Amino acid sequence: MSRRRVLQATGVLGASTALSTTGLALTPAERAIAEEAPEAVKLNILFIGAHPDDEAGTLAALGQWNEFHGMRVGVITATRGEGGGNAVGLEEGPPLGLLRESEERDAVRLAGIEHVYNLDAVDFYYTASAPLSREVWGGDELLGRIVRVVRATRPEVIITMNPSAVAGNHGNHQQAAMYALEAYLSAGDPDAFPEHLAEGLTPWTPDRILRSGANGEGPTGPDGVSHGYTPTVASDLVFGVWEGTESARHGKRWSAVKDEAIWTYASQGWAERPASPSNPEEIGSTWLTVLHSRTPLPDPATGGDAALRGAALELEDGLPHGTRIEVSPERYEFVGGEPLSVSVIVAAPADADLESGTISLTAPEGWSCSTEQPLPALAAGTLHDFSFELTAGAELTPGETARVEVTVASGSATGTNSAPIRVGGALESTIAPLEEIGEFREWTQALELKHLDALVPELFAVAQGRSHTLEMITRNLSSQPRGGTVEIDVPNGFEVSPAQLEIASVAPGESVSHTVEVISTDPALPAANRSENEGAWPVVIRTGSEGSTAERTVTMNLVPSYAAQRADAAPSIDGVRDAEEYPGEPIPVEAIWEGEGTPGGTTDSVTGQAWLTFDDENLYVFVSVTDDVRGTILPVDDNKRQRRTDSVEIYVDPRGNAANTSQTFIAGIMPSLGSMTGPVGAGRDRDSHQGEAEETAPGMEVAVTMAETEEKYSGYDLEAKIPFDVLPDGIDPARMGFNVLINDSDTQNQTAQVRVGWSTFRGVRADPWRWGLVTLEGLEDAGSEPKEAVVPSTAALSVDSPESILQSSGDGVPLGGHGPTDGSLEIVSVSTKKDRITAVFDAPVKGTAKIFVWDGDQVLVEDQRVMPAGERRVNVKVDGLTQLLEEGAELTVLASFDADGRVSAAAAAVT
C-alpha cells in the first residue's frame, strides 16, 4: 500500500499531526493539504439520493438523531424531479422541479433538516438503467459536484439508497447510490478533483456509509431493534431506529411526524397515503444496512443511535472517538482450505493518543485465523498496519457469506470493526450477466466492493416455445489450475443442451466460457408472473472440481410469445376491429403486475385483449379494454404521464436486444382528454424520444371508440398505427420485443390502482428483455440502423431557485455543487423608495445575476442582469411595496451569480 493510499485510507490527510510512530511525517505538501477548511456549515450526516422524496423513508430516524443528539443533517438530491408526475397542478419541467424542491424542504424541515443541496442534474424519466442515468447526468462531472458538497459539509456519516442492480431498482436511485459510494471513497483523496483544493476545500474522509433499507425481516414494536434484523444475505450488518419514539418537539410519535412529511410530497400523489399504525407494537423501524465503515461498529441491537456510534457519536466505553479500524480482506471470495490475508489499518484520532494493547481477528464459525498481535502505542494522528491470515474451512458450503471481525484493545477500551466475506468454490459457474448487470459487477470489482453483488439476481429470459442461447462462465477462484464438470438442471417443461460441460484446466484467476441452448418445451406452462412462482423459474448450476462442488441457482423468466400475421389489407384506423383486418388469436392483457390484487392474477376492475398485425411500413395494434369506472380525465393541455389514469401502453423493442428503454418505442395512450368526447391523448414516454405523438411519432395514428358519458362507460377500444420510421431501429422480424400494459384508475386523484398486461413482471416496464417476443411472419429484416436517443435535457437549476440561493448565501456551499466564483457576489446595500427597491451589487468578475424579491413563500419580482466586475446599482419595481412593508412583510433580495459556470449567491433583507 502506497504512502498516499495509507494516508487517504485512514483519513489522516486532513489532520496536521505528524506521523511519528510509524515514521511517516507529513511533507510540506501534505501539511498544506491538511490545513483547516474555510468556515462553512459542518454536517454530521449527509443523505444522498436522486429525487426530492428519496429521503422520505429515513426522516423518522434522521429527525430523532437531530432532536435527541443534536445531529446536523443535510440532503443531496441529484435532480429536482422535474421529470416526474404532478398530482396537484399542471407544472412540468423546471417549474415542477422548483415545486418539488419546495415540498422537499418543507418535508425535511420537520426532521430538523435545513440544508438541501439540489445538484441540477436532469430528471429525464423513469428507467431501471444506472448506466443511462450516469451518461445523462454527465458522468464524473456530477460526481465531482457531490464530492465538492461532501468536502464542504464534512459529514461523518453518509446515507444513500440501494446501489445494487436488483430487480425493480430505479436506475436513478441506483446511480445516485453508486455516486455516493464513489464520493465516500474519493472525497479524502487529494488527487481526486484537485480543483477543489484550489477553491479552498480540503480532502475529507467520511467514517461510514449506510444504505437506507435492508433485505430480510425485522420485527415491529419498541423491542424490534433490540431483537435484531434477520438479513437475507448473512453478511449484511443492519442497524435500526424504532419510529414510534415520542418527539417532545412535535408532541407526537416520530412515525406520525414521518407521515406528515410524506404527505408533504403532494405533487407525487403522496398526500393520500395511509397513516402509520397507532398501536406501538405495529410501528416499524427504519432499517439501515452498512455498506462500509472505517471506524469501530457497535452491536446493532444496542439502540436507535447505534448506527452513528463510532462515527458521528462516541462509542460508549469504547476507543477514543476518531479511532479508525479499517478491515480489508485480500479478496471477497475465499476458497476452502486456501488462506488469504486480511489487512488492518489502525489509526489514532487526530487529537488523542492510543494506548498500547492488542489486536485480534475473530473468524466466523468454520473458519480459522492467525493469532492476536500486539498493538503499539500510537500518538495522535499516527497509524499502524497489520496483516492476518484467514482460511475458510474445507467443509463450508460455497456461497455462504459471513463477516470477519477485528477487535482492538487499547488500555481498558475496545473497538470492533468487520468486513463481509464469502466462501467460494474452487471452480464456480454461472450465466453471463445482462449487459448492465455486467457493468455493475465491473464497477464493484474496481471499487473492491464485491459484497454488493450478493443481492444482484442472475437472470435470463426464454420465450414460450422458443429457445435461448445462454453463455456460461466458469471461473477458477483457487490458487491452482483446475478442471471439472458443470451440470445444468432446468425445471420440467424446459430442456437444456448440452446438460453437462467438461471444463479443461483453467488457470488461477482466469475464466472460460461455453454456450448451451435452453428450450421451452411445454406450451401449457403459464408465462410471465401467471405461474405459481411468479415467473421465476430456478435453474441450478453445479460445478464439480477435485471432490468439491459449488452450486448456484439462477433465475429464468418465461416470457410470452406470439406469431403476428400480415394483414391482407391495411386496417382502417377507426377504433373498430374487423376480424379480417387483424388475423390471428388475441393477445391476453389481463394479468396483474402492479397495484391492488395478486400478482399474476386477474381483477374484475379491468381486463383486455390485443391484436397485432403489420404491413411493409407499419405496425397495427388494436386493444379492447373492459373497465368498470372511468378515472381522472386529464385536461387537454396535460397530455403526458399516462400512468396516472386509465390508459394503454404499447411497447416495441425493434430488435429484441435493447439494454434499456432509451433504445425502444413506448406509446402511452389515454382514451380522451378534457371530457369523455375529447381528443385522444397520445404520446411517447420513457423511450428513445419522449413527448407528444405529433412531435415524436409523425405518421402515428390513433383512434378510440368509447361511450359518450361516464354513466354508460364500460371500457374502450383503441387502435394505433405505428410507422416503422418512428421506431429507434429496424425490426428483426424473428425476435421483436413487444408488450401491452393497461393502467386502471377508479378514482379522481390522478393515481392508478392496478396495472395489468401481457408480459407481466415486477418492474417490467423498464426491462425490455422481459417483454414478450413476437415474430412477424413474412417481413424481411432490413438490418439494424439505430437512431440516437433524444433524452429530455432541461433541468431545474439552482440559480433559478430562491430557496437554494438563500441557503447558499448562508451556508457557503456553492449553488448546485458547482465551482465557486473567485470571490463572491455581494449585495452592498438595499434601500426602498415608494414601490421600488434599489440594490447595489458588487460582482467579483463579469457574469449574469438573477435577482429575486422573495417574501418567504413566493417570488414577487424576478430580474436578470449582466453584471460588470465591480459595483452596479439595480432598481426593481414591486407593486404595493409600501403597503407590504407597513404590514410587516419580511422581504429579501436574493441573487444568484454565474460566471462561465462558476457560481455564488447573495441575500439581503429589505428594510
Side-chain angles (χ1 to χ4, degrees), residues 2 29 97 313 327 343 346 389 563 614 733 891 898:
S2 71
L313 293 174
V327 185
S343 299
V346 178
E389 191 173 88
F614 63 95
L891 306 183
D898 187 320

Side-chain angles (χ1 to χ4, degrees), residues 320-331:
H321 190 57
T323 301
R324 296 204 163 187
I325 307 172
E326 190 149 10
V327 185
S328 303
E330 181 180 344
R331 195 171 71 187

Side-chain angles (χ1 to χ4, degrees), residues 337-408:
E338 296 189 1
L340 291 175
S341 66
V342 177
S343 299
V344 184
I345 296 174
V346 178
D351 57 358
D353 297 340
L354 203 59
E355 295 181 37
S356 62
T358 61
I359 178 171
S360 59
L361 189 150
T362 302
E365 184 176 354
W367 297 63
S368 60
C369 62
S370 52
T371 59
E372 73 175 25
Q373 301 178 31
L375 172 76
L378 297 178
T382 65
L383 58 82
H384 195 89
D385 59 331
F386 304 83
S387 181
F388 291 87
E389 191 173 88
L390 179 66
T391 307
E395 72 283 357
L396 293 174
T397 302
E400 291 182 2
T401 66
R403 295 187 76 87
V404 57
E405 293 186 346
V406 172
T407 299
V408 171

Side-chain angles (χ1 to χ4, degrees), residues 60 63 159 167 203 297 407 604 743 778 859 883:
I159 300 176
L297 289 160
T407 299
D604 293 335
N743 302 305
V859 174
Q883 182 178 349

Side-chain angles (χ1 to χ4, degrees), residues 751-889:
T751 58
Q753 285 73 54
V754 65
R755 311 184 198 279
V756 299
W758 180 43
S759 188
T760 44
F761 299 90
R762 180 188 174 203
V764 70
R765 63 190 178 114
D767 293 337
W769 62 275
R770 293 197 294 183
W771 299 350
L773 194 63
V774 167
T775 56
L776 306 177
E777 299 174 355
L779 183 69
E780 292 187 6
D781 185 351
S784 175
E785 294 185 11
K787 301 173 185 175
E788 185 174 352
V790 180
V791 179
S793 58
T794 305
L797 302 177
S798 297
V799 293
D800 297 319
S801 166
E803 293 178 281
S804 288
I805 296 167
L806 182 62
Q807 176 184 298
S808 180
S809 69
D811 73 7
V813 180
L815 289 165
H818 297 282
T821 52
D822 187 9
S824 296
L825 177 72
E826 295 182 3
I827 302 177
V828 178
S829 64
V830 175
S831 60
T832 64
K833 185 175 182 180
K834 296 183 179 179
D835 60 354
R836 292 188 177 275
I837 295 175
T838 300
V840 178
F841 294 88
D842 188 0
V845 293
K846 182 181 179 180
T848 300
K850 294 187 176 182
I851 303 164
F852 305 85
V853 178
W854 172 254
D855 71 357
D857 292 314
Q858 61 182 336
V859 174
L860 303 181
V861 177
E862 181 177 349
D863 197 4
Q864 179 172 312
R865 301 290 178 91
V866 175
M867 296 284 189
E871 290 193 1
R872 179 171 181 178
R873 183 182 303 271
V874 175
N875 294 305
V876 293
K877 180 180 179 181
V878 181
D879 291 336
L881 175 62
T882 301
Q883 182 178 349
L884 285 170
L885 293 176
E886 289 176 349
E887 293 174 351

Side-chain angles (χ1 to χ4, degrees), residues 410-421:
S410 171
S412 61
T414 61
T416 299
N417 201 359
S418 59
I421 49 177

Side-chain angles (χ1 to χ4, degrees), residues 675-710:
S675 70
M676 288 290 291
T677 58
V680 174
R684 297 176 61 177
D685 193 27
R686 316 180 314 276
D687 68 351
S688 64
H689 195 177
Q690 178 174 279
E692 294 194 34
E694 289 182 359
E695 299 177 4
T696 63
M700 178 178 171
E701 298 179 25
V702 181
V704 170
T705 57
M706 179 176 59
E708 295 185 357
T709 66
E710 294 185 42

